[in-house]
Amino acid sequence: MRHFDHIDAARRKHLFYRHPRPFGRHDDRDVLAVALGATLYCPATRPALAADIERAARRGVMSMVVCLEDAIADDEVEAGEANLVAHLRTLHARSGVRGAEVPLLFVRVRDPGQIGDLAGRLGDAAELLTGFVLPKFTASGGGAFLDALEDAADRSGLRLLAMPVIESPEAVYAETRAEMLHDVARLLAKHRSRILAVRLGATDMSAAYGLRRPPDLTIYDIRPVAGVICDVVNILGRADGTGHVVTGPVWEYFSQGERMFKPQLRQSPFERQSAAPLRQRLITADLDGLIREVHLDKANGLTGKTVIHPSHVAAVHALSVVTHEEYSDAADILGVAGGGAMASSYANKMNEAKPHRAWAQRLMLRARVFGVAAEGVTFVELLEAADSR
């Protein structure tokens, strides 16, 4: 797999200074966690699930979650399990053991028992799974999920990874949050080899307060939820070797509604690229809010994002490409031993070798899987290429 491979090779040559590197489901966890990009969720009850997965892969989707939890009704679980098993078996028969045309696949379960049960029912098709998403994760209940995952991996001989979701009331309410997150950190440390990334359930977090983010505001404007995200990054996303990749919360809008505020995309970058129609299409689909939120995700230490519609993927991935300026700064910082400060190659900022080092290391990992834009290539060009149909 490789990001942006769905784009014509000649166009990729123009867009990238350093091309994205291939990766596979058996790569190091650090690589896979960043390579997730925009993780597309879909209900397990989709009648054409196998075809949907293949179609998503052709559009540049690199990770998907088939959901048996909140995305389906309580009385649909048995049917959803059967549908998931049947379609993944079909997909496995089409794609073979390597699953060459299949994104990184995860199943979001409701209870620990589903993990071993589904792995057993899938048989050889379990080879398509990268792992499981563990909902409403807490220290008290999360151990059972991780033990079930360990057992399923041992019995199948597969490497199965976990993505716990922080979204329970204990993680949201101020009086229990810090203790709960520290307990989760200790639990995840015991199972570190199985933890791919920590996900944020912003919808459930908002529900704890009876809130829902409107499309013209970002999750960071919803202050009670923004506070939870801050604490999750503080405790679970540290850059000292104890932290994990924390992914951006879901963007749940994909069609136009009545707007209260002006669009959040400046006109000039699109006009310079003669891409005004693209800007209007993004605004019409409320994706200007998504683009702003991804910028804020990155600024706050989050990597990748949960999405619920294929139209979201191109924006997340275009914003994940490392700019030529960022790459130059990171290379300068990592090339200095012993500390010190220097003017950037672009002569517009000060780079400090010691405090900026962790940032530079993380950025280089993102550059590995998403590539480095050619000098002068903007987000608009990357988005226009990634979004072409």
Side-chain angles (χ1 to χ4, degrees), residues 4 294 298 312-323 366 370 373 378-384 386-387:
F4 300 103
V294 173
K298 290 163 59 181
H312 301 164
V313 174
V316 176
H317 288 177
L319 285 165
S320 298
V321 174
V322 172
T323 68
R366 180 155 56 88
F370 283 100
T378 67
F379 157 76
V380 174
E381 288 181 87
L382 291 161
L383 175 57
E384 192 169 32
D387 191 51

Side-chain angles (χ1 to χ4, degrees), residues 154-366:
D154 289 343
R155 283 199 276 174
S156 65
L158 300 173
R159 183 180 77 158
L160 297 173
L161 301 175
M163 292 200 290
V165 188
I166 305 301
E167 58 186 344
S168 67
E170 298 97 315
V172 174
Y173 298 143
E175 65 271 22
T176 55
R177 185 189 309 160
E179 182 179 0
M180 180 270 194
L181 290 175
H182 282 295
D183 288 343
V184 165
R186 285 187 284 270
L187 176 61
L188 297 186
K190 294 177 182 178
H191 296 266
R192 189 169 188 86
S193 64
R194 293 283 178 196
I195 308 303
L196 179 59
V198 173
R199 307 202 75 87
L200 294 168
T203 301
D204 278 38
M205 291 179 188
S206 300
Y209 301 105
L211 302 175
R212 185 175 189 179
R213 173 179 80 249
D216 42 11
L217 295 177
T218 73
I219 199 66
Y220 300 96
D221 297 308
I222 312 302
R223 296 298 295 275
V225 178
V228 181
I229 294 173
C230 177
D231 285 345
V232 171
V233 173
N234 180 25
I235 297 172
L236 300 179
R238 298 179 183 184
D240 60 359
T242 67
H244 306 270
V245 165
V246 181
T247 64
V250 66
W251 182 262
E252 59 186 7
Y253 293 97
F254 54 88
S255 61
Q256 182 183 26
E258 184 178 357
R259 301 183 69 98
M260 183 174 295
F261 300 110
K262 292 180 179 180
Q264 301 178 66
L265 291 175
R266 292 174 56 233
Q267 293 184 27
S268 53
F270 291 84
E271 290 172 348
R272 284 197 294 269
Q273 301 299 330
S274 301
L278 172 62
R279 178 179 181 273
Q280 187 57 51
R281 189 163 73 246
L282 294 170
I283 292 169
T284 301
D286 284 325
L287 294 184
D288 56 322
L290 166 64
I291 290 167
R292 176 165 175 76
E293 186 165 290
V294 173
H295 270 296
L296 291 171
D297 286 342
K298 290 163 59 181
N300 284 280
L302 308 184
T303 302
K305 197 159 189 68
T306 297
V307 300
I308 49 85
H309 195 272
S311 63
H312 301 164
V313 174
V316 176
H317 288 177
L319 285 165
S320 298
V321 174
V322 172
T323 68
H324 188 270
E325 180 175 345
E326 289 174 323
Y327 179 79
S328 298
D329 287 339
D332 289 347
I333 290 163
L334 295 176
V336 173
M342 71 212 86
S344 70
S345 300
Y346 275 67
N348 60 1
K349 70 180 75 67
M350 187 66 70
N351 290 327
E352 295 189 62
K354 286 184 177 179
H356 290 145
R357 189 171 189 83
W359 167 84
Q361 290 169 335
R362 287 186 171 186
L363 185 127
M364 286 301 195
L365 187 54
R366 180 155 56 88

Side-chain angles (χ1 to χ4, degrees), residues 35-46:
L36 290 169
T39 300
L40 178 65
Y41 272 56
C42 70
T45 51
R46 295 278 296 184

Side-chain angles (χ1 to χ4, degrees), residues 51-119:
D52 291 340
I53 292 171
E54 291 175 319
R55 188 179 306 111
R58 291 194 294 270
R59 292 186 63 173
V61 174
M62 292 292 157
S63 63
M64 288 187 70
V65 174
V66 183
C67 186
L68 287 163
E69 206 229 359
D70 285 346
I72 65 174
D74 294 343
D75 60 0
E76 294 180 314
V77 175
E78 186 175 340
E81 291 177 346
N83 191 63
L84 181 155
V85 169
H87 280 274
L88 289 195
R89 283 179 173 174
T90 298
L91 199 60
H92 184 259
R94 290 179 189 167
S95 62
V97 172
R98 293 176 57 200
E101 302 302 321
V102 178
L104 301 173
L105 284 181
F106 302 84
V107 177
R108 177 174 167 131
V109 293
R110 290 188 173 215
D111 62 73
Q114 287 179 304
I115 294 174
D117 179 61
L118 289 170

